[in-house]
Amino acid sequence: MSDVIKKVLPKPRGIRQTMSDLHIWTGLLVGWVLYAVFLTGTASFFREEISQYMRPELAVQHQAGDVPALVQRTVDRIREQQPELTQVSIQLPTERKPTITASWRDPQAGGRGFKSVTLDPISGQEVSARATRGGDFFYAFHFNFHYMSGLWARWIIGFCAMFMLVAIISGVITHKKIFTDFFTFRRRKGQRSWLDAHAALSVFGLPFHFMITWSGLVTLMVLYMPWGLQSLPTPADKAAVTSEMRFMQPTAPKPAGVPATLVALAPLVEQAEQRWGQSTVGSVQVSNINDANARVSMVQSQTAQVSTTPKYVVFDGVTGELLHTKDGSGAVATTQGVLYGLHLGRFADIETRWLYFIVGLVGTAMVGSGLVLWTVKRRSKLPDPEKPYFGFRLVERLNIASIAGLSVAMVAFFWLNRWLPVEMLERAQWEIHGFFLVWLATLVWALVRPAKRAWVELLAMAAGLCFLLPIANMLGLGQGMQSSLAQAGWLFLSFDLSLWLLAIVHAAMAWRVAKHQPPRPRPAVKKRPPVAAPALTTQES
């Protein structure tokens, strides 16, 4: 009798079934945001290279050179052009960013009263290039979005990142044989193939995915948990804590009003290099020029260490005396800085940066395959796959626009950089406007076209745009592969080759979708009446 009752009563849900539901729904609800954040964040690992690619006029080759002499020469030339100059800041060139960025306070400049120029490190002359946000747009978008308050954007992304952590942990619990399944891939098995691909992509970069999600939350921990900082009694205490984590150099004193001659800067840069190492000075700021209270501050480049905790020195701008140093932070701030540095990857050499990029793409594919798996799994259970219910259709169309549509929008961003007139007003903003307009157009396309055709057409469009852009560069800008080989412009060459590789990937995806056969409608199954448990007799009870 007890066996009959066990068959009738439903089995209690286990921990793996509960975790499976949690994994599915947490991944779906924020999956579209996470996909965009992962993809644009992955592109940001080559932020400087993208910016240089989008400003082909700045074909400057990086040369290590004499950094102290470079700083002295740059400041002297700016002072010759701006005799009334009182403050100047210089970002020194690196292998990834071979130009100098100089900015100074200019009362006649718009905005916050600063003027910024790009200088050739060899000649010291200003170099002009098309206005563009370049890779900075992808970097800012992946944590700040656009057209909305940065505060709200970071709260939304933090919420989604928390869901991502839940999805990662619940996914590991759900797949008890996840590492075994990593070596198993069953081709042409419909839902089973998608699940195998999703598991393999998840395991391949699991430590990286956890690190990049967790460290992303840590970078904004003061925003999400501000109570400790808010409990400090004075603004000075809050500034001291913040300076442990972020660069906040001591505020220069007010001008004394007493004329004085600025000290030679080259010896001061040499002192900083003796402390940190050769070519490790990232930026130099000179305040209160020609005044007795002049100050010279130098900050160590973030490429010289993993942690982003600041290291800097401050000199008296008249006597050259070393006034203040910061060579490290406390254990908690350093831990936060290491996690932040691992998230940004600014310390990475070219090989490590490519590893970041490849594993980041794997993470993007993991999120995308999870979104597609949701529809594949449920389509097979529909009475008529050709006529799904509204919620299913909405998820499917959002998947198309979020995955294939974002690829089209990102490559269109590069095309707009080449197409828009160089003299156009607000040119950089219109590149960004165009990105969002194209992305919106892909959503409209996904809504009005049959789902399968929309996948194929948008993936094919992304493939075509990626394939044709290097050719357009070669024909229109003289900065194509032939010119790159002749001038040893390896950045442009590798970028063009990467675009062709992405074209092949998108074309293969379009071909696979075109060949895919949807499941046949399931025949209606008559429900059997439930089996009633036999009544218990007096003897059995």
Side-chain angles (χ1 to χ4, degrees), residues 21 34 40 103 118 132 137 139 152 175 193 202-203 253 256 311 341 386 429 489 526 539:
D21 290 344
L34 287 174
T40 53
S103 59
T118 302
T132 180
F137 166 65
Y139 172 74
W152 278 104
H175 300 283
S193 298
S202 302
V203 176
K311 293 184 179 181
E386 297 299 326
Q429 288 301 318
K526 295 183 179 179
Q539 184 178 2

Side-chain angles (χ1 to χ4, degrees), residues 239-540:
V241 172
T242 304
S243 66
E244 285 289 298
M245 300 182 294
R246 301 286 188 270
F247 172 61
M248 289 183 62
Q249 64 181 8
T251 305
K254 294 182 180 180
V258 179
T261 303
L262 182 66
V263 69
L265 299 179
L268 305 185
V269 179
E270 291 175 356
Q271 288 188 48
E273 289 191 331
Q274 290 173 3
R275 178 180 293 271
W276 299 326
Q278 188 175 8
S279 301
T280 54
V281 177
S283 63
V284 178
Q285 179 172 309
V286 186
S287 305
N288 299 333
I289 299 175
N290 296 330
D291 188 89
N293 281 344
R295 294 291 184 269
V296 180
S297 305
M298 299 180 194
V299 184
Q300 186 185 45
S301 173
Q302 289 193 356
T303 61
Q305 60 176 351
V306 176
S307 176
T308 59
T309 50
K311 293 184 179 181
Y312 57 85
V313 292
V314 181
F315 297 92
D316 187 299
V318 177
T319 66
E321 178 187 0
L322 181 60
L323 300 177
H324 186 76
T325 64
K326 183 174 177 58
D327 293 322
S329 300
V332 175
T334 300
T335 301
Q336 189 264 357
V338 169
L339 289 171
Y340 198 179
L342 288 172
H343 186 87
L344 296 175
R346 292 174 181 169
F347 67 92
D349 55 18
I350 185 63
E351 294 81 9
T352 307
R353 199 154 51 250
W354 270 110
L355 179 62
Y356 262 65
F357 181 77
I358 291 171
V359 183
L361 287 181
V362 170
T364 306
M366 174 192 68
V367 177
S369 63
L371 290 170
V372 174
L373 181 60
W374 191 93
T375 58
V376 171
K377 184 176 180 180
R378 280 151 185 80
R379 182 180 291 277
S380 61
K381 299 179 181 180
L382 293 174
D384 185 357
E386 297 299 326
K387 297 179 181 180
Y389 55 90
F390 172 78
F392 182 94
R393 293 200 305 272
L394 178 62
V395 171
E396 190 171 45
R397 295 321 197 264
L398 288 175
N399 283 350
I400 297 171
S402 298
I403 299 173
L406 183 56
S407 293
V408 173
M410 289 181 71
V411 70
F413 183 65
F414 297 122
W415 275 96
L416 290 167
N417 175 259
R418 299 306 197 232
W419 276 354
L420 295 178
V422 176
E423 304 82 7
M424 182 179 181
L425 294 176
E426 298 185 352
R427 185 182 189 281
Q429 288 301 318
W430 273 107
E431 285 183 357
I432 298 174
H433 297 332
F435 167 85
F436 285 105
L437 288 173
V438 171
W439 200 4
L440 178 61
T442 63
L443 174 59
V444 175
W445 190 265
L447 292 173
V448 300
R449 296 286 290 164
K452 181 177 179 179
R453 295 306 309 164
W455 274 114
V456 173
E457 291 159 359
L458 290 179
L459 289 171
M461 184 181 298
L465 291 173
C466 288
F467 178 78
L468 292 174
L469 183 57
I471 298 175
N473 290 335
M474 189 182 304
L475 298 177
L477 293 173
Q479 198 64 54
M481 296 179 65
Q482 294 178 349
S483 177
S484 300
L485 287 171
Q487 301 175 13
W490 297 111
L491 184 147
F492 291 90
L493 174 62
S494 59
F495 208 104
D496 288 342
L497 289 175
S498 298
L499 284 171
W500 279 357
L501 180 60
L502 289 172
I504 294 173
V505 171
H506 283 86
M509 293 170 62
W511 182 80
R512 292 290 299 175
V513 174
K515 291 292 184 180
H516 175 70
Q517 295 297 327
R520 296 178 180 179
R522 299 177 62 184
V525 179
K526 295 183 179 179
K527 294 184 179 181
R528 295 181 179 179
V531 178
L536 298 177
T537 65
T538 305
Q539 184 178 2
E540 290 174 332

Side-chain angles (χ1 to χ4, degrees), residues 80-106:
E80 289 177 3
Q81 299 172 3
Q82 304 286 335
E84 303 299 325
L85 186 70
T86 60
Q87 177 179 328
V88 62
S89 179
I90 301 171
Q91 296 290 331
L92 294 173
T94 64
E95 292 184 359
R96 301 180 62 194
K97 184 174 178 290
T99 56
I100 299 174
T101 302
S103 59
W104 59 86
R105 190 177 297 277
D106 184 0

